[in-house]
Amino acid sequence: MSDQKNADVARKLALLKTRFREKALSELELLETAMSGVRAAGIDSGEVVAAYQSLHRLAGSAGTFGYDRLGKSARDLEQILKPYIEGDHSSRSEILHLLNDDFMQRVGSLSALLCEGDIEPSWPVAPPEKGVKGVAEPVVLVVEPDSVKAAELSGALATHGFAVYGFPDTHSLPDKTLATASVVLMRDTLFVSEGAGLSAKDECPPIVCVGSVDGFPERYRLADLGADGFVCEPLDVPVLADYIERLISERLDVGAGRVIIVDDDAELLEHYSLVLEEGGMAVRKVQSPSELPGALSEFRPDIILMDVQMGSYSGTTLARMLRFDPEWVGLHIIFLSSEEDRDFQVDALSKGGDDFLTKPVSDDFLLRAARVRCYRARQLDKLASRDSLTGLLKHSLVKQEVIKEHARCRRLSQKSVVAMLDLDHFKRVNDTYGHRTGDLVIKGLANLLRHRLRKTDVIGRYGGEEFLVVLPDCSIGDALRTLQTVCEQMNRIGFSSRGEEFHVTVSIGMATLETFDRGEDAIEAADQALYRRKSAGRNGVTVFGAGQTDGTGREAV
Amino acid sequence: MTEGKLSLQRIMLVEDEEDIRAVAELALEAVGGFTLKTCASGQVALDQLAEFRPQLVLLDVMMPVMDGPSTLHAIRQTDEFADVPAIFMTAKVQPDEVSQYLAEGAVAVIPKPFDPMTLSDRIREIWDSLQ
């Protein structure tokens, strides 16, 4: 099939899949309600046969739409009902035996297996505050039976820029909501009793348990049941927010890998790329090795998957050749080869490869292997370009971004804004509460910026407690509003140390980027505005040139 | 019916589930290049037989009112389509069940769930083995 046709079929399949999921969701809901009814009454007036048929349909159809696990579970449940259907006993005790707790729980967890997609979550406990348009706050679900605690926690997390939704238990948590979440926070006792079904799902976000008892056996138990994290009460919200942030960024890193596949076999090339694309990765296909250098510069992959022998070209030689260029010395090159001889493999690695995948490789294995390696490659790349504490760009890189953006603005006559941020009285925080607490405050602001700004905005840690931000295609008015929100929210975050709660404010200076001759001058102007804000009482935003002219007599705004 | 070595083009699918009909259309028309007629029930299939003249019939086994085997039985009663090859599609694939379906006059059984991307290949294989 042609690419075009393939894409068309895939698109239509995805549509059918969505339709199937929606129908299956309501069907499962009906099924569960009906079975609960029969169980409660102890009388079956045909509902069990209907449930049997419904499960049979799911067993036969779910797999076709990619819900293999749902199909298998439905099949198992269908088999449980089968003897009952074929017999003619429907006594009360028989019904109660058939629809026992285990059965009901398994029915209840079926819809969990449909957990995929991107439908808007419902029931907001703390509606997200309006940020800049186009900003999607990470969704955190709080599953907590105690409504007071749930409200407290939701409110506290919302100030950190998360969209928080609360649910009293896992049954009331719609799967479509679960699928949109970045993290689930869950009462540990609840997780022990009903979390297993949740964490078993493919699309389930990381689950962090919240508990009041902390000990080795408790932690071990949660880990054994599949929890991704544990935090002990009383909760330190900034620590928790940072923890959530880390889980989210790890998760984001996994899906969005970029891969170049080099293989002279057109069919294999097509196949591998389909597998990886379906797994959510960005793929560039290269059939002729001579096109590889161009594709590399253009596509900038995390990793290269390369066949070892391609016509007259050898993969190992190509790898060695790529390493000529300092830019690609750190690039991860993985060979795909049917050669199982370890000596040969080691030899190939010594010539510039990083790893081997032995053909034939299953689709699932290929995808997982590529994901893991992309993830590692990104982690390493981050170490080099990102500030280790905040995960933001390092000083030199963010400055480069300003210069790049300045050139872009000039070229396309667009408006952008550069802003300098500095935490107020930060030295006092460090002196009073220690550096570890100080670090948390810095991370707090970093995370807030990440949530409040757009994906296209550039955020860097410029100095100790100084941040530099570039807002491309942004008017000074919009930037002002956004950054004022950041100030307000920062002020609302309660940090605690040594039993004391305290708040930290931030001062911000900003300037338009394109009105300056050089990017560096815009940074300098933002810095001057910041200085003025500091002397004007801190905690707020000052625009360079607002209400005054700069040294050259030119209105800067 | 003596279609001889004709290549397979016209397939009739009898399936009560709308989702499966839709995905089968994609699998057999877009992917496989066949001409497909889908029927939501055995009765509809019987009504459409003469007009569509299928070379092959795919039948879901479990359908309300008239199930797959009954539908096939009724097709076998017609003069013109008494020999049309039929394939059952079912989520029940116990070996004894398979042999039972074959005994009822099906040429093959395709287990459900099927993979929409390879369904056509499987059907062509079955068709070729009949020629």
Side-chain angles (χ1 to χ4, degrees), chain A residues 175-395:
Chain A
D175 293 304
K176 52 189 180 182
T177 306
L178 187 69
T180 63
S182 297
V183 172
V184 177
L185 287 179
M186 191 166 176
R187 172 61 49 190
D188 58 350
T189 48
L190 202 62
F191 181 75
V192 169
S193 59
E194 47 187 62
L198 210 60
S199 59
K201 301 171 194 176
D202 293 340
E203 302 283 319
C204 183
I207 299 176
V208 177
C209 291
V210 179
S212 52
V213 186
D214 189 5
F216 181 84
E218 287 82 12
R219 282 185 178 235
Y220 187 84
R221 179 141 193 229
L222 293 175
D224 184 39
L225 289 170
D228 296 281
F230 173 77
V231 285
C232 189
E233 290 175 314
L235 292 178
D236 186 328
V237 176
V239 172
L240 177 59
D242 184 60
Y243 192 26
I244 295 174
E245 191 63 40
R246 197 159 50 83
L247 288 171
I248 292 172
S249 69
E250 278 177 7
R251 203 158 173 252
L252 282 180
D253 283 346
V254 176
R258 299 173 71 78
V259 184
I260 284 187
I261 309 175
V262 194
D263 202 317
D264 60 339
D265 180 329
E267 276 179 24
L268 271 179
L269 187 61
E270 187 66 29
H271 180 81
Y272 292 150
S273 79
L274 265 179
V275 169
L276 298 185
E277 275 171 356
E278 273 170 24
M281 309 186 88
V283 181
R284 176 74 170 261
K285 292 173 275 190
V286 174
Q287 195 178 345
S288 159
S290 61
E291 289 162 12
L292 181 57
L296 265 178
S297 321
E298 235 174 82
F299 187 75
R300 309 200 77 81
D302 298 313
I303 61 167
I304 295 185
L305 286 178
M306 185 150 64
D307 191 13
V308 168
Q309 196 57 53
M310 293 165 286
S312 57
Y313 293 105
S314 138
T316 51
T317 309
L318 275 170
R320 181 171 218 158
M321 185 198 88
L322 290 179
R323 306 299 191 203
F324 288 175
D325 193 336
E327 197 172 359
W328 307 124
V329 166
L331 184 68
H332 288 236
I333 302 175
I334 292 131
F335 291 122
L336 281 160
S337 164
S338 44
E339 185 59 70
E340 283 185 58
D341 179 2
R342 293 301 292 176
D343 283 338
F344 171 84
Q345 296 194 351
V346 171
D347 190 44
L349 295 185
S350 73
K351 287 191 177 142
D354 290 289
D355 205 351
F356 255 96
L357 293 178
T358 308
K359 287 201 274 197
V361 50
S362 78
D363 294 353
D364 184 48
F365 186 83
L366 177 72
L367 178 60
R368 282 165 51 200
R371 275 191 181 154
V372 164
R373 283 163 177 87
C374 277
Y375 174 65
R376 285 279 161 247
R378 291 205 165 180
Q379 295 286 93
L380 287 172
D381 183 52
K382 248 195 203 168
L383 279 180
S385 64
R386 301 265 163 175
D387 172 53
S388 60
L389 179 67
T390 60
L392 302 180
L393 286 177
K394 286 180 176 172
H395 177 100

Side-chain angles (χ1 to χ4, degrees), chain A residues 420-441:
Chain A
M420 187 76 86
L421 297 81
D422 190 88
L423 288 163
D424 297 326
H425 301 299
F426 185 70
K427 189 171 178 305
R428 208 185 286 166
V429 174
N430 266 344
D431 291 348
T432 317
Y433 305 106
H435 289 280
R436 281 188 57 184
T437 306
D439 283 355
L440 269 178
V441 175

Side-chain angles (χ1 to χ4, degrees), chain A residues 407-426:
Chain A
R408 200 185 69 88
C409 280
R410 282 290 175 104
R411 201 171 61 241
L412 305 171
S413 353
Q414 281 178 342
K415 288 179 188 306
S416 294
V417 172
V418 63
M420 187 76 86
L421 297 81
D422 190 88
L423 288 163
D424 297 326
H425 301 299
F426 185 70

Side-chain angles (χ1 to χ4, degrees), chain A residues 1 5-6 9 12-13 16 19-20 23 52-53 56-57 59-65 75 78-79 82, chain B residues 16-20 22-23 26 29-31 33 60 62 90-94 97 112-117:
Chain A
M1 273 194 299
K5 202 167 172 189
N6 257 328
V9 168
K12 286 183 181 153
L13 265 180
L16 290 175
R19 207 166 78 185
F20 170 82
K23 280 164 86 170
Y52 173 76
Q53 289 166 344
H56 179 81
R57 275 198 300 276
S61 58
T64 293
F65 297 98
R75 164 65 56 82
E78 176 200 344
Q79 293 304 321
K82 197 177 176 190
Chain B
D16 62 319
E17 264 187 90
E18 191 193 340
D19 296 325
I20 297 294
V23 82
L26 205 55
E29 291 183 328
V31 179
D60 181 32
M62 200 155 140
T90 176
K92 288 181 188 167
V93 276
Q94 309 294 334
E97 286 167 328
K112 276 186 176 181
F114 58 84
D115 175 355
M117 301 312 283

